[in-house]
Amino acid sequence: MTKSKLIAVDFDGTIVEDAYPSVGKAKLFAFETLRKLQDDGHRLILWTYRHGKELDDAVDFCRENGIEFYAVNNSFEGEEFNPENASRKLNADIFIDDRNLGGFPGWGEVYRVIKERIQFNIEEHGTEKLSKPKKKGWFGF
């Protein structure tokens, strides 16, 4: 089993088709993959621009599809965010977002990258290439 990761996941355009402020249609394999990541021991944070009623709608939609998040727009459940003395940046090992450099590769590729610890690279002309990291030698290189 891979080491447990803290994974921040965007909502609009990533878990669902972008229809903000409405909730869009679930993306193909989004909830299946999120459940599998949780089954693998990873902790998921919902990381979204949404707030208020729109955020509640997103959390409810995920709950109805079998996903309870470790935290929502925070690094951990119960975190008190004070913009006067803290950064809004989350503490996560992995961020999954449709606005990543190169775009969203799809939930099958997301799971494969995390599960197999594959390095995601973008080749010339916007094509994607997945490769396993090279084994390190005795001295770490």
Side-chain angles (χ1 to χ4, degrees):
M1 181 174 146
T2 60
K3 184 180 175 201
S4 176
K5 300 283 185 190
L6 190 55
I7 303 172
V9 185
D10 179 42
F11 186 72
D12 296 289
T14 304
I15 295 175
V16 298
E17 298 293 333
D18 195 351
Y20 182 84
S22 298
V23 172
K25 179 181 171 191
K27 285 213 165 203
L28 187 63
F29 300 121
F31 288 106
E32 296 85 351
T33 304
L34 292 170
R35 280 191 294 275
K36 183 67 176 140
L37 289 169
Q38 285 182 325
D39 290 346
D40 288 351
H42 301 293
R43 293 173 293 167
L44 305 179
I45 296 172
L46 181 61
W47 174 54
T48 178
Y49 173 78
R50 290 174 174 256
H51 61 280
K53 181 188 179 323
E54 287 82 16
L55 178 59
D56 292 342
D57 292 345
V59 170
D60 290 344
F61 185 77
C62 291
R63 187 174 290 127
E64 290 165 8
N65 283 280
I67 296 298
E68 289 282 343
F69 290 96
Y70 170 72
V72 176
N73 283 346
N74 289 305
S75 296
F76 53 88
E77 187 68 38
E79 177 185 28
E80 296 283 333
F81 174 67
N82 181 344
E84 304 231 351
N85 63 11
S87 167
R88 183 60 270 157
K89 188 170 183 175
L90 295 179
N91 177 27
D93 299 304
I94 298 170
F95 291 82
I96 301 172
D97 192 327
D98 63 314
R99 307 266 173 134
N100 288 328
L101 183 62
F104 185 70
W107 283 103
E109 293 301 315
V110 166
Y111 184 75
R112 189 168 160 235
V113 166
I114 294 169
K115 178 73 175 175
E116 298 177 23
R117 298 185 334 181
I118 295 172
Q119 183 176 341
F120 181 74
N121 295 314
I122 300 172
E123 295 289 330
E124 290 181 34
H125 310 294
T127 59
E128 301 166 1
K129 177 183 176 185
L130 297 175
S131 61
K132 289 191 177 184
K134 294 180 182 176
K135 286 198 170 205
K136 292 184 179 180
W138 178 260
F139 294 104
F141 15 84

